[in-house]
Amino acid sequence: SMDKSKFNKPYFIGIDPGKTGAVAIISDDGSFCSICDFTNHPISFLRKFNKHVNHAYIEKVHAMPKQGVVSTFSFGENFGTWQGILRTLEIPYSLVPPQYWQRELGLIKLDKKDKPSLPMAREMFPDAPLNLKKHHNRSDALLLAYVALQDYKKNQLKNVILTTEDYLNDLV
């Protein structure tokens, strides 16, 4: 339970910000906590945890040139929406390129369609709902949360955008 935790903010979040993206929450002992798809009211989901969240990693993906204006825009819109949600809930976060977290976990993509995060996340988080092929968005989110936790423990959180101090300064 939360009171046994080493930290007063025991939760770490990973977010895959795509249109079919997901937000995953793990505990500071590395265990699976909860997961929510973007289509399923992520704000009320996150609000249950926000006072106890230590840090969030959002994957920072650049729109692919071949995607066309509409999907590039909808991607950017989701990306902005996630940042707005985290800022509103006062959750400190970082934007992390896919290459960074994948390298940290030793994930190697054999080709563009390869989704190596799914088997890895299934192994690391056997309790998580990752049974379908389309759940690679959830597995990405979980692994991002895991890398956030590891970076926190090493005192090396990447590209931190918001800290509690930032909020206090904004209010002044």
Side-chain angles (χ1 to χ4, degrees):
S1 73
M2 234 143 47
D3 38 340
K4 288 209 287 282
S5 169
K6 295 191 288 295
F7 310 132
N8 64 343
K9 297 198 167 192
Y11 295 126
F12 289 81
I13 287 181
I15 296 173
D16 173 344
K19 218 190 344 238
T20 57
V23 52
I25 301 183
I26 66 170
S27 193
D28 59 18
D29 62 0
S31 60
F32 170 71
C33 177
S34 198
I35 209 154
C36 175
D37 295 316
F38 187 47
T39 48
N40 204 10
H41 305 299
I43 297 178
S44 44
F45 169 77
L46 278 173
R47 197 171 271 139
K48 297 195 277 270
F49 297 94
N50 67 323
K51 298 278 181 280
H52 306 286
V53 171
N54 192 304
H55 202 78
Y57 269 7
I58 308 187
E59 186 172 64
K60 182 181 187 177
V61 187
H62 300 291
M64 312 295 167
K66 295 203 179 57
Q67 276 183 332
V69 173
V70 171
S71 81
T72 299
F73 176 76
S74 66
F75 180 82
E77 201 179 20
N78 280 354
F79 190 62
T81 301
W82 276 116
Q83 291 189 70
I85 291 170
L86 293 175
R87 282 173 181 261
T88 304
L89 296 177
E90 298 187 9
I91 294 172
Y93 68 96
S94 304
L95 308 178
V96 181
Q99 298 79 352
Y100 171 72
W101 69 264
Q102 290 167 9
R103 194 177 59 231
E104 286 294 290
L105 294 166
L107 268 188
I108 291 134
K109 284 194 148 190
L110 301 172
D111 62 51
K112 279 208 174 59
K113 288 200 267 302
D114 193 22
K115 308 282 187 214
S117 72
L118 203 45
M120 179 179 272
R122 283 173 176 156
E123 198 172 311
M124 287 168 62
F125 303 102
D127 309 342
L130 300 171
N131 30 339
L132 303 177
K133 204 182 258 170
K134 68 171 188 179
H135 288 155
H136 60 85
N137 49 4
R138 295 179 178 181
S139 61
D140 283 5
L142 271 167
L143 295 177
L144 271 157
Y146 181 79
V147 173
L149 168 61
Q150 297 311 312
D151 284 355
Y152 176 79
K153 285 179 173 170
K154 294 186 295 207
N155 208 9
Q156 291 178 332
L157 283 171
K158 295 281 172 275
N159 318 322
V160 175
I161 294 218
L162 238 41
T163 62
T164 314
E165 289 74 46
D166 294 337
Y167 282 112
L168 299 175
N169 293 337
D170 283 351
L171 295 174
V172 173

